């Protein structure tokens, strides 16, 4: 494979829950096709799904950019939503600002960001109130 | 125990045709907070949830759940059933509530030694 890099880009629509999670399920298929070990695929897809759903329910949608090379999978989810005023608080299990109609769909446990933390090897969140949020997730392919 | 046998022994309706009926059930999990399920359900659990929207299929795939069980005869959206068929996740339906399902499933899995945790 040499130093091949696979790049994937997705638009994450903000108004359509029926397609929420589509980008991460597509990435899962690609990772499986590449023969990446199932437990690594699981780490990557759970992390990406949570970030993708967050961009839908909290930020009106966004973009996903994924790069896969021999060493790692890097997922970057960017939105132009409200930003996160207090990251430390947002990272706490159980903290959620999801409105009632979103909770009725089963979201809002306040477990998404903690799940990303748990399943990713590196997590970097860049956010600015009023501007938006970029969540960058790295999953290493090698120990 | 396979989903097909589980459903027939517990008189559950299969809403997704032949999809995934040979998947193995090793335990049962019940929770309606999707992100909680993603990180706490175990691989090959049958998952009981009152949610019927499309997202349950995505969660089932992420958590490597063997099937979804919808309790208390709650009706399931057509779009969810269609997605479940595409993704190979069976959806079962029953009049029982979550407690009754857990009790009956517990006895069944124990009797066949399918659930080592019991
Ligand atoms: N992309 C984002 N833009 C703005 N706020 C966000 C974003 N992602 C997360 N947040 C904030 O951080 C909180 C915690 O996020 P987290 O994913 O842990 O929980 P949740 O999305 O509310 O519920 P769950 O993920 O369990 O369904 C959110 O409720 C929201 O206030
Ligand atoms: Mg979330």
């Amino acid at each position: 494979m040499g130093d091949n890099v696979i790049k994937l880009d997705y638009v994450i629509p903000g108004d359509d829950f029926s397609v929420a999670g589509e980008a991460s399920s597509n990435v899962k298929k690609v990772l499986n096709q590449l023969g990446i070990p199932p437990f690594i695929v699981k780490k990557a897809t759970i992390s990406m799904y949570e970030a993708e759903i967050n961009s839908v329910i909290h930020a009106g949608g966004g973009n996903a950019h994924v790069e896969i090379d021999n060493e790692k999978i890097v997922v970057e989810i960017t939105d132009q939503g409200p930003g996160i005023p207090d990251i430390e608080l947002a990272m706490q299990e159980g903290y959620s600002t999801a409105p009632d109609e979103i909770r009725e769909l089963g979201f809002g446990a306040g477990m998404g960001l903690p799940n990303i933390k748990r399943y990713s090897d590196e997590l970097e969140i860049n956010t600015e109130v009023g501007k938006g949020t970029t969540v960058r997730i790295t999953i290493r392919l090698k120990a | 125990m396979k989903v097909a046998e589980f459903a027939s022994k517990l008189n559950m309706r299969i809403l997704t045709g032949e999809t995934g009926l040979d998947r193995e059930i090793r335990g049962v999990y019940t929770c309606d907070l999707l992100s909680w399920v993603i990180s706490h359900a175990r691989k090959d659990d049958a998952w009981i949830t009152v949610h019927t929207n499309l997202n349950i299929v995505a969660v089932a795939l992420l958590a490597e759940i063997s099937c979804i069980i919808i309790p208390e005869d709650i009706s399931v959206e057509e779009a969810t059933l269609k997605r479940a068929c595409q993704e190979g996740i069976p959806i079962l339906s029953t009049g029982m509530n979550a407690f009754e399902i857990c009790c009956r499933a517990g006895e069944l899995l124990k009797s066949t030694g399918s659930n080592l945790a019991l």
Side-chain angles (χ1 to χ4, degrees), chain A residues 17-22 24-25 28-29 38 42 45-46 49-50 53 93 103-112 115 118-119, chain B residues 32-43 50-56 58-64 77 79 83 86-87:
Chain A
F17 271 100
S18 66
V19 295
E22 207 136 276
S24 42
S25 86
K28 182 180 195 173
K29 282 174 190 132
K42 182 170 182 170
T45 47
I46 287 180
Y49 175 82
E50 293 288 11
I53 293 291
E93 289 191 7
R103 288 176 194 260
E104 277 161 21
L105 294 169
F107 301 109
M111 288 297 293
N115 280 355
R118 172 173 166 199
Y119 284 100
Chain B
D32 294 313
L33 296 168
L34 301 180
S35 291
W36 188 273
V37 175
I38 287 173
S39 59
H40 290 82
R42 286 163 306 181
K43 184 177 186 307
V50 297
H51 292 299
T52 57
N53 63 71
L54 268 175
N55 302 292
I56 61 174
V59 169
L61 288 170
L62 290 169
E64 301 176 288
E77 285 94 313
R83 179 72 61 88
Q86 284 165 359
E87 302 288 355

Side-chain angles (χ1 to χ4, degrees), chain B residues 1-12 24-28 46 67 69 92 96 100-116 118:
Chain B
M1 172 176 290
K2 305 273 189 231
V3 172
E5 189 186 352
F6 180 91
S8 107
K9 289 245 163 79
L10 296 185
N11 281 319
M12 292 184 177
E24 196 70 31
I25 297 178
R26 292 199 168 77
V28 177
C67 69
I69 304 174
L92 312 181
M96 291 189 279
E100 292 159 345
I101 297 167
C102 289
C103 291
R104 299 279 312 276
E107 287 166 16
L108 182 61
L109 294 177
K110 200 172 168 186
S111 73
T112 60
S114 297
N115 185 348
L116 301 175
L118 289 173

Side-chain angles (χ1 to χ4, degrees), chain A residues 50-51 53-59 77 79 81-87 89-98 102-103 106-116 127 132-135, chain B residues 33-36:
Chain A
E50 293 288 11
I53 293 291
N54 277 353
S55 79
V56 176
I57 66 181
H58 303 298
I77 310 268
D79 66 60
I84 305 173
D86 186 342
I87 289 273
L89 189 59
M91 289 303 303
Q92 281 176 19
E93 289 191 7
Y95 178 82
S96 174
T97 60
I102 299 291
R103 288 176 194 260
F107 301 109
M111 288 297 293
L113 291 175
N115 280 355
I116 301 175
T127 185
T133 302
T134 297
V135 176
Chain B
L33 296 168
L34 301 180
S35 291
W36 188 273

Side-chain angles (χ1 to χ4, degrees), chain B residues 75-91:
Chain B
S75 72
V76 182
E77 285 94 313
E78 205 48 52
T80 304
L81 296 178
K82 206 173 140 204
R83 179 72 61 88
C85 287
Q86 284 165 359
E87 302 288 355
I89 300 285
I91 300 185

Side-chain angles (χ1 to χ4, degrees), chain B residues 3-4 14-23 84-85 88-92:
Chain B
V3 172
I14 300 166
L15 306 182
T16 42
E18 295 296 308
T19 299
L21 291 182
D22 58 350
R23 293 178 77 111
C85 287
I89 300 285
I91 300 185
L92 312 181

Side-chain angles (χ1 to χ4, degrees), chain A residues 1-66:
Chain A
M1 255 208 318
D3 46 12
N4 272 356
V5 180
I6 296 170
K7 296 181 184 175
L8 306 164
D9 283 282
Y10 303 89
V11 174
I12 305 166
D15 50 358
D16 189 356
F17 271 100
S18 66
V19 295
E22 207 136 276
S24 42
S25 86
N26 191 287
V27 167
K28 182 180 195 173
K29 282 174 190 132
V30 173
L31 296 177
N32 281 330
Q33 277 163 12
L34 289 170
I36 291 173
F39 80 98
I40 293 179
V41 175
K42 182 170 182 170
K43 286 171 63 171
T45 47
I46 287 180
S47 303
M48 179 169 175
Y49 175 82
E50 293 288 11
E52 183 182 357
I53 293 291
N54 277 353
S55 79
V56 176
I57 66 181
H58 303 298
N63 287 80
H65 178 73
V66 180

